Amino acid sequence: MLDSVFKPTSIAVIGASRQPGTIGYEILHNLLIAGFKGAVYPVNLKASSIHGVRAYPSIAAIPEVPDLAIIVVPKERVVQVAREAGQAGIKGLIVISAGFKEVGGAGVARELELLEVVREFGMRMIGPNCMGAINTDPEISMNGTFAPSTPPRGRIAFMSQSGAMGVTILDYAAEFGIGISQFVSIGNKADVSSNDLLEYWDDQDDVGVILMYLENFGSPRRFQEIAREITRHKPVVAVKAGRSHAGARAASSHTGALAAMDVATDALFAQCGIVRMDTVAGLFDAAIAFGNAPLPAGPNVAIVTNAGGPGIIVADACEARGLKVCPLSEESQERLRERLPEEASVGNPVDMIASARAAEYRVALEIVMEDPNVDAVIAAFVPPLGIESLEIARAIRAAGEGGPKPVMAVLMGREGLPQGMTELREARIPAYIFPESAVRALAATYRYRRWLDRPRGEVHTYEVDDARVGRVLAGVREDGREMLGTEEAMEILEAYGIPVTPYRIVTNFEEAVEAAEEIGFPVVLKAISPELVHKTEVGAVALDLENVDELRTAYVRLSKSTHARAGSGQLRLMVQAMVRGGRETIIGMTEEPNFGPLIMFGLGGIYVEAIEDVMFRAQPVSDVDADEMIRTVRGFRLLEGIRGEAGVHLPTIQEVIQRVSQLVGSHDRIEELDINPFLAFDDAGRCVAVDARIRITAQPEAQLEAR
């Protein structure tokens, strides 16, 4: 529990200062002016009082054991002060001081030493290198930060991994009236992490929405497990900074080449219902909506405006973000015609023209909100001469306050804008000054609605031959290799119940003929060097060989190729059944640093080569995850079947994706895997893996366990 941090009955500020402008001064000042309900004990070696509050020379001199110590001392003293706090029995620490892991070198060792002290005494610590915590509960009234602004009371919990961003967040919250329940800047998160905060806030009745600014993950898999449960009853909205790796990474497979940090974040958030926003501005837009409006039941939006331009902008933004500008019912349009000027447009958007006043806004909003086709309404206003935003805001409030459908307001003029915004804020109607902001927020709430409606899904466990896989991987390690040969990769797929094209490995022409006759013409002849990624590009494959003569010609050509020779120089070729037709797909996996295994699905052939039509999910992948991966690639219609063509057997692809997920979850030495192509047909019995490539890590076992 983190009550010692967020609900202390007494606080010691160690390093409190009498000098205005210093962090030690500002934190003590903020605690006092916020009206903290408990006792505050400044600790300063030289001062007898600070801010009119008696000061103490040490923790030991304080007449009681505080619940929380806020540490603002030079980095060299932090470990000793933390130890003194632990010895005194203090259970919560907020370490504001910087100079730890973030500076590298000695700072890393200093942070490890600090963490050892925290764990020795069973304390919980925010930081180091943070800006503190806030709890606006009237029974607590704690502002233990050095931020210049105190946010209003509300039901939003806000976590920032950046202190600088935390200051900005609190400034905006105060300016736009975004009600905060609890706020924390976690800095280096040496002890308390975002996972800890999610679990804590899940149990807090006064927290209805969780907002997060993240820069990295400690344990992504644990994060996924926690968030997946929390988001079933509380929305979690996040901005994740750091969209790419610093520099390119080497990857030998399609999957590895296409994966990136940002892809991993998208996959993780999609699987646990977190609504991701691209910018901090978008995060605030979403906060206003989630904190005030009901969720839309569907994507259908009605637009009410007094000008064509804003209506078009809203409509375009809706279409771009997955919302629909729905047709209004004939009844609604007739009612609008009766109440609006003849020049007004009663379709959707409803353009009431510039002369529209509050009465027209109110009646138009009431009509469209009653339309059964409409799930949400955006009311946009540009002030003409003589009509102020406040007048329109009151009309929007009268029509939309407390209704079952979300109403978003866009007040674009400056005249009366602050008063209009205040009017709507009091009515808990989200209000924005730009159309795109309102649409972005509404789309975020709809994404969350879709998550709530989404089945939970099940991670299946299939009967497989793990011992066989273990033997193959052990043999590769003994040979000192990272890349598996094609036959080794295919054997692993077979061990996991993934159908593969019939094949034989041959070392001379007589064996090739025997294999082809056993498999049945037509066949394919391939060189199978582990170093080969794209066999067709280097002429290492011969397709559609119909008879022995064609096989002989291909054999002579390939046998002269260096790609057909193993390290010992021995000739090794694969004879494989020729499979015609089907849809080429690719199913793969890559180990993403700091995330773990990412599973990929996409259309194969030119679709993965040219347009990268792929989708990722973090391992483990459920049946619902697998279905979403397939249905969200841009070329899904090709799998469904178009122009009279039969669609492919989607359950088979879903199962193969889940089997790959199980495989890499059970064998963490696998670092990259491509099944390319996996040919999909309408008949499940014909679906088959044609080629596969697997690379294992060279890391020792100890590093794998840590990973």
Side-chain angles (χ1 to χ4, degrees):
M1 288 290 289
L2 298 176
D3 283 352
S4 60
V5 172
F6 288 104
K7 299 179 180 180
T9 59
S10 54
I11 301 174
V13 181
I14 306 171
S17 172
R18 291 177 293 184
Q19 183 64 41
T22 62
I23 293 177
Y25 177 94
E26 297 301 332
I27 287 178
L28 181 61
H29 174 73
N30 284 347
L31 282 171
L32 296 176
I33 65 171
F36 176 61
K37 294 301 188 288
V40 178
Y41 299 102
V43 176
N44 184 297
L45 287 172
K46 299 178 180 179
S48 59
S49 69
I50 304 174
H51 272 303
V53 179
R54 181 182 174 183
Y56 298 85
S58 67
I59 297 173
I62 297 174
E64 66 169 314
V65 178
D67 292 327
L68 172 67
I70 302 177
I71 299 176
V72 196
V73 300
K75 59 182 182 294
E76 295 82 6
R77 293 189 54 217
V78 169
V79 173
Q80 180 57 36
V81 168
R83 182 172 295 280
E84 293 172 1
Q87 291 169 341
I90 294 173
K91 291 303 179 183
L93 297 181
I94 296 177
V95 180
I96 307 293
S97 309
F100 292 84
K101 182 175 64 178
E102 79 279 4
V103 301
V108 176
R110 188 179 296 116
E111 186 166 311
L112 289 173
E113 187 179 0
L114 173 61
L115 186 57
E116 287 177 3
V117 171
V118 168
R119 289 175 176 168
E120 178 184 349
F121 291 98
M123 297 183 285
R124 297 310 310 266
M125 176 181 69
I126 302 292
N129 183 36
C130 72
M131 64 168 287
I134 291 174
N135 187 342
T136 63
D137 183 345
E139 299 298 317
I140 308 293
S141 295
M142 179 187 74
N143 183 353
T145 75
F146 53 85
S149 302
T150 300
R153 173 73 174 159
R155 291 180 51 77
I156 293 174
F158 215 138
M159 186 222 80
S160 175
Q161 199 170 332
S162 161
M165 287 304 305
V167 172
T168 302
I169 286 165
L170 293 178
D171 283 345
Y172 271 92
E175 180 178 353
F176 292 102
I178 299 173
I180 301 295
S181 172
Q182 296 179 19
F183 166 86
V184 63
S185 154
I186 59 174
N188 294 4
K189 56 177 185 178
D191 178 39
V192 175
S193 68
S194 53
N195 292 354
D196 296 319
L197 290 167
L198 283 174
E199 288 186 299
Y200 180 72
W201 284 334
D202 187 32
D203 293 331
Q204 303 304 302
D205 293 336
D206 61 345
V207 172
V209 181
I210 299 172
L211 304 183
M212 312 182 82
Y213 172 83
L214 295 168
E215 293 177 353
N216 55 53
F217 296 97
S219 173
R221 185 166 296 185
R222 180 61 181 151
F223 181 92
Q224 181 184 18
E225 292 171 356
I226 296 168
R228 181 179 284 162
E229 294 306 312
I230 292 174
T231 53
R232 288 294 172 180
H233 53 272
K234 289 184 182 180
V236 180
V237 189
V239 166
K240 170 62 174 66
R243 286 185 165 272
S244 62
H245 292 297
R249 72 187 189 119
S252 61
S253 71
H254 277 302
T255 310
L258 292 171
M261 183 69 74
D262 201 46
V263 166
T265 300
D266 278 340
L268 183 69
F269 284 2
Q271 284 170 273
C272 55
I274 289 181
V275 178
R276 184 178 189 182
M277 305 304 291
D278 294 331
T279 64
V280 175
L283 190 65
F284 279 103
D285 292 339
I288 293 170
F290 277 106
N292 294 285
L295 297 177
N300 296 329
V301 180
I303 303 164
V304 175
T305 181
N306 66 339
I312 294 171
I313 293 172
V314 172
D316 288 346
C318 285
E319 295 293 338
R321 292 188 175 272
L323 301 173
K324 298 177 181 178
V325 182
C326 63
L328 300 178
S329 69
E330 287 297 329
E331 179 184 353
S332 295
Q333 293 187 52
E334 185 59 35
R335 292 175 64 193
L336 288 168
R337 288 190 190 96
E338 292 173 357
R339 304 296 297 274
L340 297 179
E342 183 179 350
E343 299 84 359
S345 172
V346 297
N348 193 10
V350 178
D351 182 358
M352 300 178 294
I353 69 174
S355 61
R357 302 191 71 90
E360 285 82 6
Y361 261 93
R362 179 170 180 174
V363 71
L365 287 170
E366 289 173 346
I367 290 171
V368 299
M369 289 174 64
E370 292 172 2
D371 192 311
N373 296 337
V374 173
D375 299 310
V377 180
I378 296 178
F381 172 71
V382 178
L385 291 175
I387 305 177
E388 293 187 356
S389 297
L390 178 58
E391 178 185 338
I392 302 304
R394 287 172 175 163
I396 296 172
R397 175 174 186 169
E401 185 173 12
K405 297 178 181 180
V407 176
M408 306 286 183
V410 180
L411 303 182
M412 300 180 68
R414 297 183 62 84
E415 191 68 29
L417 181 60
Q419 298 90 332
M421 288 291 190
T422 300
E423 182 80 21
L424 293 167
R425 189 178 302 150
E426 291 175 353
R428 298 179 63 85
I429 293 176
Y432 306 89
I433 60 175
F434 295 113
E436 296 89 346
S437 299
V439 174
R440 179 166 52 190
L442 181 60
T445 62
Y446 175 58
R447 291 206 304 275
Y448 182 60
R449 163 59 68 191
R450 291 177 61 190
W451 166 257
L452 293 179
D453 294 340
R454 176 188 190 263
R456 281 183 173 268
E458 179 182 354
V459 176
H460 293 282
T461 300
Y462 299 94
E463 290 188 12
V464 296
D465 191 346
D466 278 314
R468 184 180 177 189
V469 174
R471 289 192 296 270
V472 172
L473 297 181
V476 175
R477 291 201 304 275
E478 289 173 4
D479 290 345
R481 292 184 284 126
E482 292 184 23
M483 295 303 306
L484 275 66
T486 303
E487 72 276 25
E488 293 165 326
M490 299 293 263
E491 184 176 353
I492 285 178
L493 298 189
E494 288 180 298
Y496 258 73
I498 297 171
V500 302
T501 311
Y503 67 93
R504 300 289 184 273
I505 306 301
V506 301
T507 59
N508 56 54
F509 181 65
E510 289 73 20
E511 290 179 0
V513 172
E514 182 179 340
E517 290 177 342
E518 181 181 346
I519 292 171
F521 286 102
V523 296
V524 175
L525 190 65
K526 298 178 179 178
I528 56 171
S529 167
E531 288 71 32
L532 277 174
V533 179
H534 306 300
K535 298 179 178 66
T536 55
E537 293 180 3
V538 294
V541 59
L543 302 173
D544 208 8
L545 306 176
E546 295 279 2
N547 51 53
V548 173
D549 289 339
E550 291 182 4
L551 178 63
R552 179 181 291 106
T553 301
Y555 177 86
V556 170
R557 177 174 64 83
L558 289 181
S559 64
K560 296 177 181 179
S561 168
T562 56
H563 300 298
R565 302 284 173 176
S568 63
Q570 181 186 20
L571 177 69
R572 287 174 59 78
L573 298 170
M574 174 182 283
V575 178
Q576 193 174 37
M578 178 70 196
V579 182
R580 295 189 177 95
R583 292 290 184 191
E584 288 190 24
T585 68
I586 179 171
I587 301 169
M589 165 270 174
T590 187
E591 179 76 23
E592 179 64 20
N594 302 318
F595 272 89
L598 288 180
I599 311 300
M600 183 188 80
F601 170 77
L603 295 186
I606 63 170
Y607 296 99
V608 68
E609 296 280 358
I611 61 176
E612 301 180 357
D613 189 12
V614 297
M615 187 59 60
F616 285 86
R617 287 292 182 267
Q619 195 276 337
V621 172
S622 71
D623 49 3
V624 174
D625 294 329
D627 185 62
E628 283 185 349
M629 292 173 74
I630 297 167
R631 293 179 183 277
T632 51
V633 294
R634 295 190 297 276
F636 174 66
R637 289 191 62 198
L638 296 174
L639 302 177
E640 275 189 308
I642 57 176
R643 296 185 178 180
E645 292 184 0
V648 303
H649 195 258
L650 298 179
T652 297
I653 303 178
Q654 294 168 10
E655 182 175 322
V656 173
I657 292 172
Q658 292 173 85
R659 286 181 180 271
V660 168
S661 174
Q662 181 180 339
L663 168 64
V664 301
S666 300
H667 299 276
D668 55 7
R669 277 202 169 272
I670 298 176
E671 196 159 69
E672 285 184 0
L673 179 153
D674 274 357
I675 304 174
N676 184 28
F678 183 84
L679 291 179
F681 294 84
D682 58 343
D683 177 5
R686 297 180 63 198
C687 297
V688 67
V690 173
D691 203 354
R693 184 172 181 81
I694 297 176
R695 182 169 67 87
I696 63 173
T697 181
Q699 291 179 339
E701 295 293 339
Q703 292 184 27
L704 282 174
E705 291 176 5
R707 189 178 75 187

